[in-house]
Amino acid sequence: MLFLQAISLQAQRFQPHWIGYPDVDSTAQIWFRQTYLCEGRPQFAMLEVVTTGYFDLYVNGYNVSTDVRMPFRKQAFDDRPISLCFDITRFLRPDSNTIAVWYSPSYPHIQPRQVAISYYGRDAENRPFSRSLQFLNAHRTEDFIGCR
């Protein structure tokens, strides 16, 4: 079933839309957070997260990451982009949805390309959708109490 749904989705741009926070250092912990309005609960929805550091992903206050500080990196100095996908369908509401990402850079390399997130699936009327998410709110951890 998942295979058939993936085939019917529209093509996405190959290059991710990177977002970042200025002036990060190796100890930075940044929150990217945005609320999106929608017309009906999507029938199927996925988030793809590409990062050069570490992240936790929250949807409507729920941690949908499968581990703490994702992704696993075999070598501490590895800052190559890694992509992970999450089925977020069960966490979505029919009116508005808040997506938040906690981000920390991979020491010792601080990248301007920090996080890219794509959102795709099938809307409430079973039409395919695909978009790169934009985050207007970015806060250092000391300025913002995270999603719990």
Side-chain angles (χ1 to χ4, degrees):
M1 182 76 168
L2 179 61
F3 178 73
L4 294 177
Q5 288 174 334
I7 288 176
S8 65
L9 295 176
Q10 295 175 345
Q12 298 182 41
R13 293 181 304 161
F14 182 70
Q15 294 293 325
H17 175 78
W18 291 96
I19 57 175
Y21 189 84
D23 304 323
V24 296
D25 59 28
S26 62
T27 63
Q29 297 183 39
I30 308 299
W31 282 96
F32 297 100
R33 180 175 178 233
Q34 186 66 33
T35 298
Y36 299 91
L37 301 177
C38 53
E39 296 179 16
R41 185 175 183 265
Q43 293 183 15
F44 169 72
M46 297 285 290
L47 279 178
E48 178 184 15
V49 180
V50 182
T51 184
T52 57
Y54 300 98
F55 73 92
D56 284 333
L57 175 64
Y58 295 83
V59 176
N60 294 325
Y62 294 97
N63 185 344
V64 300
S65 308
T66 56
D67 202 353
V68 177
R69 284 185 49 124
M70 295 187 78
F72 172 74
R73 295 182 181 272
K74 289 184 180 182
Q75 297 177 347
F77 301 115
D78 182 7
D79 64 348
R80 292 175 293 175
I82 293 177
S83 173
L84 296 169
C85 292
F86 300 89
D87 182 348
I88 62 165
T89 308
R90 66 183 176 173
F91 301 103
L92 297 178
R93 297 188 299 234
D95 52 356
S96 67
N97 293 288
T98 300
I99 298 172
V101 176
W102 169 87
Y103 169 82
S104 181
S106 178
Y107 178 80
H109 308 287
I110 309 304
Q111 296 279 351
R113 299 180 309 163
Q114 296 169 2
V115 179
I117 301 178
S118 297
Y119 177 46
Y120 58 93
R122 293 196 159 276
D123 67 14
E125 297 177 7
N126 204 28
R127 294 179 302 219
F129 67 87
S130 174
R131 65 182 68 94
S132 290
L133 297 185
Q134 305 291 319
F135 288 84
L136 301 177
N137 302 325
H139 306 276
R140 291 184 71 97
T141 298
E142 55 267 15
D143 299 333
F144 177 71
I145 303 298
C147 300
R148 299 264 187 241

